[in-house]
Amino acid sequence: MSTKKLIRTLHPEIRVIDNEAGLVDYVASDESVDSYREVIRAKGWKFTHFEKNSPFVDSHNYSSIGQILGKVESWRIEGGKLIERVRWAKDMPESPLASFGWKMTVAGFLKAVSVGFYPT
């Protein structure tokens, strides 16, 4: 049995852009080792499918419309980081989870997001 311990430095970065609109910039990925011992190089990101439909969902759960918390409005690579601008569906009474997530973000409890990807 291996006793190797994975050490990963997280660099959660968020910036609330517009409280009224529910806009936040998140560092969604960088080139550090992830929990699967993978490194995603920023220059390797391809957004062909994502740009057609870019929902912001709870915990990678695409199983139901009820898991949609908002949408990723834009993304960019900056300094080796993938930065996503997210618009939370914070004011939709049908989405209490989105409202909760937005409040947790603004209060400083939700500091990071993650991305799904297919390695190439």
Side-chain angles (χ1 to χ4, degrees):
M1 175 189 277
S2 175
T3 59
K4 287 184 181 180
K5 186 167 113 178
L6 176 63
I7 298 172
R8 179 176 186 217
T9 303
L10 293 176
H11 304 284
E13 296 176 42
I14 65 167
R15 196 173 89 205
V16 176
I17 303 300
D18 186 332
N19 276 301
E20 184 76 21
L23 286 174
V24 180
D25 279 356
Y26 290 99
V27 173
S29 180
D30 61 22
E31 295 186 346
S32 62
V33 177
D34 70 15
S35 56
Y36 294 99
R37 295 183 169 86
E38 299 167 325
V39 174
I40 305 169
R41 298 286 176 218
K43 68 181 181 181
W45 282 105
K46 308 263 186 284
F47 301 100
T48 309
H49 298 292
F50 187 69
E51 64 191 355
K52 294 176 185 177
N53 183 32
S54 51
F56 183 65
V57 299
D58 178 33
S59 306
H60 301 274
N61 187 348
Y62 293 89
S63 67
S64 164
I65 194 171
Q67 300 302 315
I68 297 174
L69 305 175
K71 66 179 179 174
V72 179
E73 293 213 329
S74 62
W75 50 88
R76 66 188 185 279
I77 303 297
E78 190 175 284
K81 299 175 182 177
L82 170 60
I83 300 170
E84 294 181 340
R85 177 154 298 170
V86 171
R87 180 180 301 271
W88 283 86
K90 66 182 187 73
D91 296 324
M92 297 191 65
E94 300 82 3
S95 185
L97 191 56
S99 176
F100 178 62
W102 166 253
K103 290 174 184 172
M104 293 293 280
T105 296
V106 171
F109 294 103
L110 180 60
K111 297 180 180 182
V113 297
S114 65
V115 293
F117 63 95
Y118 295 107
T120 57

